[in-house]
């Protein structure tokens, strides 16, 4: 393996990506569950409403499948593209990361719609917004978790230097 390939894989370590995927599916599912919940006082008569736990579990299953089998593998490719770019300024890195993950979200939405809706891929548009938002939440969780990990490593290094 070349140095560039190993550096691109470990832009965000794979276990952090997996943890970010789980946290993304959980947080998105909680938001969807809260948005879909109808309080007892506002429910119409003779109408069935799904319970909160059912909406939460179904949303976690769907979000986890999309994240683990579609967005996570494509994000490894996106990280490889981001690592191959020689960028010095932090603003440039952030802009390229946002644009790359926007393209990742749109591409994931197109792939999802082709496999799920077959020939009617562009007739329904609701899932595109959901998947693009999911990729940005996934990016935010990755950045937050990798920032915490790097901060913890820096503190451990400074503690070990002080001890010597």
């Amino acid at each position: 393996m070349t140095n560039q390939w190993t550096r691109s894989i470990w832009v965000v370590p794979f276990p952090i990506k997996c943890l970010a995927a789980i946290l993304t599916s959980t947080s998105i599912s909680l938001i969807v569950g809260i948005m879909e919940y109808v309080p007892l006082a506002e429910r119409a008569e003779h109408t069935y409403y799904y319970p909160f736990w059912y909406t939460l579990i179904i949303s976690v299953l769907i979000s986890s499948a999309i994240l683990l089998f579609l967005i996570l593998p494509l994000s490894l490719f996106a990280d490889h593209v981001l690592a191959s770019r020689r960028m010095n300024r932090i603003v440039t890195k952030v802009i390229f990361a946002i644009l790359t993950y926007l393209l990742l979200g749109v591409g994931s939405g197109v792939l999802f719609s082709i496999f799920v809706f077959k020939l009617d891929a562009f007739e329904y548009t609701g899932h595109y917004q959901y998947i693009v938002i999911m990729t940005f939440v996934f990016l935010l969780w990755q950045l937050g978790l990798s920032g915490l990990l790097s901060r913890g490593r820096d503190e451990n290094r400074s503690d070990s230097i002080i001890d010597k």
Side-chain angles (χ1 to χ4, degrees):
M1 284 197 265
T2 65
N3 187 21
Q4 180 183 3
W5 176 250
T6 54
R7 189 182 74 211
S8 68
I9 288 294
W10 297 108
V11 168
V12 176
F14 189 72
I16 289 183
K17 281 188 171 291
C18 292
L19 181 61
I22 292 168
L23 290 173
T24 300
S25 68
T26 305
S27 59
I28 294 270
S29 299
L30 277 172
I31 292 170
V32 167
I34 290 170
M35 286 175 47
E36 294 291 322
Y37 180 72
V38 179
L40 290 173
E42 297 177 9
R43 294 185 179 184
E45 291 184 34
H46 306 293
T47 305
Y48 180 76
Y49 292 94
Y50 290 111
F52 176 75
W53 62 268
Y54 179 82
T55 306
L56 185 68
I57 289 174
I58 295 299
S59 183
V60 163
L61 290 174
I62 291 171
S63 297
S64 297
I66 291 171
L67 277 161
L68 293 175
F69 297 118
L70 188 63
I71 294 175
L72 184 65
L74 291 176
S75 74
L76 293 172
F77 176 71
D79 282 350
H80 178 66
V81 169
L82 287 172
S84 67
R85 305 272 311 167
R86 303 269 190 253
M87 297 173 279
N88 296 330
R89 296 176 44 196
I90 190 76
V91 175
T92 311
K93 289 179 182 180
V94 169
I95 290 173
F96 272 102
I98 289 172
L99 288 175
T100 304
Y101 271 81
L102 176 69
L103 290 174
L104 173 74
V106 170
S108 298
V110 168
L111 284 173
F112 177 78
S113 64
I114 287 172
F115 286 116
V116 172
F117 298 119
K118 298 188 181 26
L119 296 175
D120 299 330
F122 300 106
E123 200 169 307
Y124 308 105
T125 59
H127 61 281
Y128 289 112
Q129 298 165 355
Y130 185 76
I131 291 176
V132 168
I133 290 171
M134 194 182 310
T135 56
F136 281 118
V137 172
F138 179 60
L139 176 64
L140 290 174
W141 275 113
Q142 285 182 72
L143 293 176
L145 291 173
S146 63
L148 287 174
L149 180 70
S150 66
R151 184 178 297 150
R153 285 181 183 166
D154 292 342
E155 288 176 3
N156 287 341
R157 280 189 202 139
S158 65
D159 290 343
S160 65
I161 290 172
I162 292 171
D163 291 341
K164 290 183 180 181

